Amino acid sequence: MTQPETSCSASGAAPRFPVRRGACPSLVNPMPTGDGLLVRLRPAAAGLTPGQWGTLADLARTFGNGLLDVTARGNLQIRGLAHQDAAQQLSAELSRAGIEIRSGTAVETPPLAGLDCAEVADASGLADQIRDAIRQHTPALALAPKLAITVNGGGLFNLSDAISDLRLDAVRHGGQVLWRIALAGDARTARPVALVDEAQAVSHVIALLELLHAQGSASRGRDIAALVPALDEACFPAELTAGPVNPAGVIRNGSSAVLGLRLAFGRMHAGELESLMAGLSGLGATQVRLAPDHALLVLGLPDGAIPAAARLAAEQGFITRPDDPMNSVSACPGTGFCAAGRLDTQELAGLLASQAPDLLDGSCTVHLSGCTKGCAHPSPAPLTVTGTDAGLRIVLAGRAGDAADLNISLEEFRALLPALQQGIAQHRQAGQTAAQALSLSGAAIFGMAP
Ligand code: SF4
């Protein structure tokens, strides 16, 4: 499930910069974090060339600390800017390089919109119409800065899992493609309020945004859900039941192939990115797109060049295989990267991979969080390990900030790992996944059962 975007502000340290609550980090409003200011960028182009990515890497090193994130929703972040002026200079350099950055309300589309062989509809045209209608609305709509509108055309990389304030999902209905408009949730949980064709969709969206505006500039989709009559749906559209494919690995898209690269811990270094993009360019890649779940999608590679491209990416630290155990780990930067961090998430992920490998079988997310804010995975995970000043908090089927099922020290957690591995392995021998093992016997495996 793609989470609402959160910002990893340095809640554990006195901020050096003014913080505006409820704001999103942007070039105009950078967000203070443990390693300086952070800016979140939404490039206007669906994809950037390897050369443009090289420019971004260079700018991240010049104006930031050389670290870049791709967030769970597929936004790019540049970290470690020293001061507000650096954000303005970065903005100017991006313009000079021809990399246009979108501002305003986020209107998200699947990363391969228009190219996805399995999509129900190309969402990009409708998304542009919605952006234009918001921009041209008189009076200007006062909307919550974190409001998320999703236009999900479906396909391999569909956005069915993206939690959104307002969403439009393409569905086949009576021999035509319609847009199902829903409020507050993912494709399965949001409250459906209309089923319309593309020509009617924009006016419906604007009517809902006007309702949000009338409720106040902090209002979110959940605040108006009860005010709009729900759609009387006879059955749940089949298009919305399947989530997206794992973005790591080679994914066939019709007659072409896409190479998906996931960023371990959601971040990459400028040097790694530069090396990767120089190599991809030489191998024939034409475009690299941001994708949800901390991923990049490489387009244009000839089939024969894909193994070399995957090798190159793996050498630079990217996850290139769907069966990589690190796909099971959702972790924030943690200690050393964020002032609030009380856990070395990278070290703990390595420990889990080496000493409890059966836990990372791809069936569930293990959330490692530097503090109770839980930036990397705001919704519940089967297992969450959170760092605090007092040690580690273990939460089963919950969030980083939920009440702990167990409070232990790092040393005690290390000592528990053989039992954790053994407990999961026993369930695997019985044909069960790690997710099932945690759900059925998590408390016993952690020695919490009476
Ligand atoms: S969850 Fe991680 S990144 Fe977010 S504030 Fe806490 S330590 Fe920082």
Side-chain angles (χ1 to χ4, degrees), residues 8-9 11 332-334 338 340-342 369-375:
C8 47
S9 63
S11 52
C332 77
C338 178
R342 298 294 181 266
S369 187
C371 78
T372 54
K373 191 168 181 197
C375 295

Side-chain angles (χ1 to χ4, degrees), residues 153-421:
L156 298 169
F157 295 95
N158 67 72
L159 298 183
S160 292
D161 289 351
I163 296 172
S164 312
D165 293 278
L166 198 168
R167 57 181 305 120
L168 299 90
D169 294 283
V171 297
R172 295 186 181 89
H173 187 86
Q176 56 177 329
V177 171
L178 298 178
W179 293 92
R180 177 183 181 266
I181 302 178
L183 291 166
D186 61 28
R188 289 163 285 275
T189 61
R191 177 184 171 92
V193 295
L195 188 64
V196 296
D197 63 22
E198 183 157 335
Q200 301 168 300
V202 177
S203 58
H204 269 76
V205 168
I206 291 300
L208 292 168
L209 295 179
E210 286 171 342
L211 192 52
L212 278 165
H213 170 93
Q215 296 293 310
S217 60
S219 297
R220 306 293 299 268
R222 60 181 174 268
D223 299 319
I224 61 166
L227 306 179
V228 185
L231 193 66
D232 185 17
E233 277 192 313
C235 65
F236 188 81
E239 291 88 345
L240 307 183
T241 54
V245 298
N246 183 332
V250 181
I251 298 124
R252 294 306 312 180
N253 181 37
S255 59
S256 63
V258 174
L259 177 61
L261 310 174
R262 280 190 79 229
L263 282 65
F265 307 99
R267 66 174 180 262
M268 54 192 169
H269 294 262
E272 296 165 349
L273 183 61
E274 264 173 349
S275 300
L276 174 69
M277 292 301 161
L280 289 177
S281 178
L283 290 166
T286 53
Q287 204 182 86
V288 179
R289 296 190 173 196
L290 290 156
D293 205 10
H294 314 283
L296 299 174
L297 302 180
V298 185
L299 310 186
L301 287 168
D303 279 4
I306 285 180
R311 255 193 323 275
L312 170 69
E315 285 166 10
Q316 300 304 325
F318 291 84
I319 299 170
T320 60
R321 298 192 335 262
D323 60 351
D324 189 309
M326 284 301 132
N327 282 312
S328 297
V329 176
S330 193
C332 77
T335 310
F337 296 97
C338 178
R342 298 294 181 266
L343 175 65
D344 186 335
T345 51
Q346 199 157 341
E347 181 192 28
L348 196 61
L351 269 177
L352 289 174
S354 62
Q355 296 189 38
D358 284 358
L359 176 65
L360 309 181
D361 66 354
S363 65
C364 62
T365 296
V366 176
H367 179 196
L368 307 181
S369 187
C371 78
T372 54
K373 191 168 181 197
C375 295
H377 197 86
S379 69
L383 172 62
T384 298
V385 182
T386 303
T388 70
D389 285 331
L392 302 185
R393 294 157 44 95
I394 311 294
V395 178
L396 295 171
R399 300 175 176 82
D402 288 348
D405 292 301
L406 185 66
N407 289 295
I408 53 177
S409 67
L410 179 59
E411 291 66 36
E412 288 169 325
F413 186 77
R414 282 177 195 267
L416 255 177
L417 290 177
L420 177 61
Q421 167 62 16

